[in-house]
Amino acid sequence: MPTDHNVCGQRIAYNRATHGALSERETEVYESANKEVEDILALLAEIQNARTSAEGEITRPLTRREIGTIFEVSSQLHGSSTILEAFEEGL
């Protein structure tokens, strides 16, 4: 299914898998978990990009705030990936 969802200013330009066997509510849960994973990956990319020079070299260590953010989103990522895995195993 095509999407026009934006993550950190970037449009997702791929077609997400569709699962005809899912109820409307299951589809909502699946899409929400998928969106959360995309948002987390974009946030992690932003953190990495802020530390990287134009040549692709890391120019500074992670700040305490960045480390805290990574720890915070890791539990969200775990929850969303568990949901996605459950759906994928059931399909």
Side-chain angles (χ1 to χ4, degrees):
M1 148 175 28
T3 182
D4 61 358
H5 176 68
N6 284 295
V7 177
C8 296
Q10 292 184 316
R11 183 178 174 282
I12 296 174
Y14 62 85
N15 292 330
R16 292 187 180 162
T18 56
H19 304 290
L22 298 180
S23 71
E24 187 175 325
R25 177 65 185 138
E26 289 170 329
T27 300
E28 288 174 12
V29 170
Y30 181 85
E31 289 295 325
S32 177
N34 204 341
K35 178 188 176 308
E36 186 166 62
V37 169
E38 291 286 355
D39 289 343
I40 291 168
L41 289 175
L43 177 62
L44 295 174
E46 280 188 351
I47 290 171
Q48 189 67 356
N49 287 341
R51 305 172 54 228
T52 306
S53 70
E55 294 79 32
E57 297 171 341
I58 299 195
T59 59
R60 66 170 177 78
L62 289 165
T63 65
R64 285 183 183 222
R65 184 177 188 168
E66 290 167 336
I67 292 169
T69 299
I70 292 167
F71 279 126
E72 184 179 319
V73 299
S74 68
S75 64
Q76 294 170 339
L77 181 59
H78 178 72
S80 292
S81 63
T82 300
I83 290 169
L84 292 174
E85 184 178 338
F87 276 110
E88 294 298 326
E89 288 178 358
L91 299 175

